[in-house]
Amino acid sequence: MLLNQFLLLGAVLFCIGVYGVIARKNAVMVLMSIELILNSVNLNLLAFAMRSGTADGHTFALYIIAVAAAEVGVGLALVLLIYRNKRNIALEDLSEMKG
Amino acid sequence: MVAQNIFFAIFAVIMVVGALRVVTSNNVVHAALWLVTVLAGAAGQYILLSAEFVAVTQVLVYIGAVMVLFLFGTMLTRARLGEETDLNNKTWILGIPVALLLFGTMSYALIDSFGDEKLPEDATVVSTQVISDQIFGPYLIPFWALSFVLLAATIGAIVLARKD
């Protein structure tokens, strides 16, 4: 197996995730795209861990999984709160802080 | 090595198709279910990279917990669960050149710096014991910080989502 095949797969997933963050209006869909981005980072970390033969990359990947779980929890609570106040979770409508 | 490459290709195709459907689907629930295929494919790739513990954690945490959260979030924020036409921004077309430019830059950098470097073929599976020695040894301080992050996230989610 080549190192680059995993890194390029991670790059593809990362770019698809970035496209999703830019293009999507629904806040839940944006959170899903962020999950794609975090997964591509994990793929890179584990590929480099196999290259170096140490377990540091595995530790980082586990930490990223934990941070992603926390992020989704808080993010969905925020989305729920926005929905309760505005009956709508379209990100374009959240422009109260626009100058 | 051939079998591993075949399985890599199968998982990679599943993941890329699933990821594209996640960002193009017009149905939030379908997008969440396509995200499950991407996450499961990622778990398969982790096993190919001899990271069994991370793969199992991926299945338990992402497919088990995070996806349930997503489906609950969808259920609680939408009156109807069906096709929708306005899931994209008005400027969504700008995302395509940004993503393509980013991918071009990244793939050029990766191919330029790693070329056809091979992964070691005799890599042993990193055992869970080694990972726990790492977490409770040199990476103990980040582990503590992460515990506080999770505690703060739990309290924050409860405080934000309660009704009063």
Side-chain angles (χ1 to χ4, degrees), chain A residues 1 3-4 9 19 22-26 35 39 42 46 50-51 56 58 63 67-68 76 81 83-84, chain B residues 1 22-23 25 39 45-46 51 58 62 69 77-78 86-89 92 115 117 119 139 143 160-161:
Chain A
M1 289 185 292
L3 173 64
N4 248 343
L9 177 64
Y19 166 76
I22 294 173
R24 288 304 203 176
K25 188 162 73 174
N26 187 310
E35 293 304 310
N39 259 283
N42 268 351
L46 290 173
M50 191 174 182
R51 178 186 183 231
D56 299 85
H58 297 235
Y63 285 179
V67 170
L76 283 175
L81 196 66
Y83 179 74
R84 202 177 285 149
Chain B
M1 293 315 285
V22 169
V23 296
S25 171
L39 299 175
Q45 303 284 14
Y46 298 167
Q58 165 98 357
Y62 267 113
L69 264 182
T77 53
R78 307 221 71 84
D86 58 340
L87 281 175
N88 279 353
N89 279 321
W92 67 274
E117 182 180 331
L119 285 169
Y139 292 106
F143 180 71
L160 285 175

Side-chain angles (χ1 to χ4, degrees), chain A residues 17 20-21 29-39 71, chain B residues 62:
Chain A
V21 170
M29 305 288 256
V30 172
L31 283 175
M32 285 183 205
S33 306
I34 293 174
E35 293 304 310
L36 285 180
I37 294 176
L38 289 170
N39 259 283
E71 171 250 326
Chain B
Y62 267 113

Side-chain angles (χ1 to χ4, degrees), chain B residues 30-89:
Chain B
H30 288 183
L33 295 178
W34 278 110
L35 187 59
V36 172
T37 66
V38 181
L39 299 175
Q45 303 284 14
Y46 298 167
I47 289 177
L48 284 181
L49 287 166
S50 69
E52 289 178 352
F53 185 68
V54 183
V56 173
T57 312
Q58 165 98 357
V59 172
L60 288 178
V61 174
Y62 267 113
I63 303 178
V66 171
M67 289 320 299
V68 172
L69 264 182
F70 271 125
L71 291 174
F72 262 96
T74 311
M75 187 186 79
L76 292 174
T77 53
R78 307 221 71 84
R80 61 206 168 82
L81 303 172
E83 294 280 328
E84 290 179 62
T85 50
D86 58 340
L87 281 175
N88 279 353
N89 279 321

Side-chain angles (χ1 to χ4, degrees), chain A residues 21 24-27 30 82 88-95, chain B residues 89:
Chain A
V21 170
R24 288 304 203 176
K25 188 162 73 174
N26 187 310
V30 172
I82 293 169
N88 189 6
I89 52 170
L91 292 177
E92 316 184 296
D93 299 341
L94 304 177
S95 55
Chain B
N89 279 321

Side-chain angles (χ1 to χ4, degrees), chain B residues 148-163:
Chain B
F148 279 108
V149 167
L150 279 175
L151 179 67
T154 315
I155 296 173
I158 293 172
V159 168
L160 285 175
R162 59 186 279 179
K163 269 202 175 88

